[in-house]
Amino acid sequence: MEAKGAVEAALFSSSENLRISDIAERTGFPEEEVRTALMDLRREYDDRDSAIVIAKIGSEFRMMLRSDYSDYTGRFGKAEMSGGLMRTLSTIAYNQPVMQSELVKVRGPRAYEDVHALEDMGFVSGKRVGQTKELTTTKKFSEYFGIGSTRKADIRKWIESQASNRTQE
């Protein structure tokens, strides 16, 4: 078995971002071999203009769908979130930080259930402020949707680009 194949299998099967040291420890290959394999894989996926990309997020790596191809996933994959839940998540992401009490005014009382579900999924975190919560998205949210940043401005820009892509269809 070669290191490149083992690294590719690790990235493909992991639902989390992986550090070079994690991959090396679990595959038994030296860190330098894992690093070289990662760079080779990234180059290969980029050179063939694949729908898959090996993304570097900080010091971690993840195999993910290139955002240009995200429109196709809904046509084949089953939605993991209902439309209402996705709208609540989008509202939080676009307006963050947002108070849960304000969210309920916009989205209705169902927002309480949605926030609980989104917190359970790890996409949203809430901090108590008086009698309500201040809601923001998490690192997991940015990683899951392939945004590449946790900065509010970058998330807002990404949401706007997704909305723009939908209206052009």
Side-chain angles (χ1 to χ4, degrees):
M1 176 179 10
E2 65 174 82
K4 189 163 51 170
V7 169
E8 188 174 29
L11 290 169
F12 177 79
S13 61
S14 179
S15 61
E16 303 291 322
N17 295 343
L18 296 173
R19 290 188 299 271
I20 290 173
S21 59
D22 294 333
I23 298 170
E25 181 182 316
R26 294 181 201 173
T27 61
F29 288 100
E31 284 190 25
E32 192 52 46
E33 241 180 289
V34 169
R35 184 175 288 105
T36 301
L38 275 166
M39 297 310 119
D40 288 349
L41 283 167
R42 288 183 80 192
R43 192 177 326 95
E44 287 174 19
Y45 279 92
D46 285 343
D47 287 350
R48 69 176 192 222
D49 200 26
S50 173
I52 305 295
V53 64
I54 308 292
K56 184 174 184 192
I57 303 164
S59 62
E60 300 173 326
F61 294 86
R62 177 184 198 99
M63 181 180 281
M64 60 189 350
L65 184 65
R66 195 178 302 272
S67 61
D68 302 358
Y69 294 92
S70 61
D71 289 344
Y72 297 105
T73 59
R75 299 174 190 175
F76 296 95
K78 201 175 207 176
E80 294 180 21
M81 281 190 247
S82 69
L85 188 61
M86 185 63 87
R87 283 188 289 280
T88 299
L89 178 57
S90 298
T91 303
I92 294 167
Y94 193 80
N95 297 296
Q96 66 183 307
V98 64
M99 295 300 184
Q100 184 170 338
S101 56
E102 290 300 311
L103 181 68
V104 170
K105 288 178 188 175
V106 173
R107 297 282 306 136
R110 162 140 185 152
Y112 291 113
E113 273 181 60
D114 289 351
V115 167
H116 184 70
L118 293 167
E119 286 176 323
D120 286 349
M121 295 169 92
F123 292 143
V124 170
S125 67
K127 177 176 73 174
R128 276 263 166 233
V129 176
Q131 293 184 326
T132 190
K133 287 182 185 178
E134 181 181 74
L135 303 169
T136 57
T137 57
T138 62
K139 181 180 175 188
K140 181 179 179 180
F141 165 82
S142 294
E143 292 169 354
Y144 182 86
F145 289 99
I147 298 169
S149 172
T150 57
R151 291 183 49 236
K152 288 180 260 186
D154 294 338
I155 292 170
R156 184 175 268 213
K157 185 177 174 183
W158 180 82
I159 291 170
E160 289 169 354
S161 75
Q162 295 301 302
S164 172
N165 289 344
R166 298 258 186 265
T167 58
Q168 293 174 3
E169 290 179 351

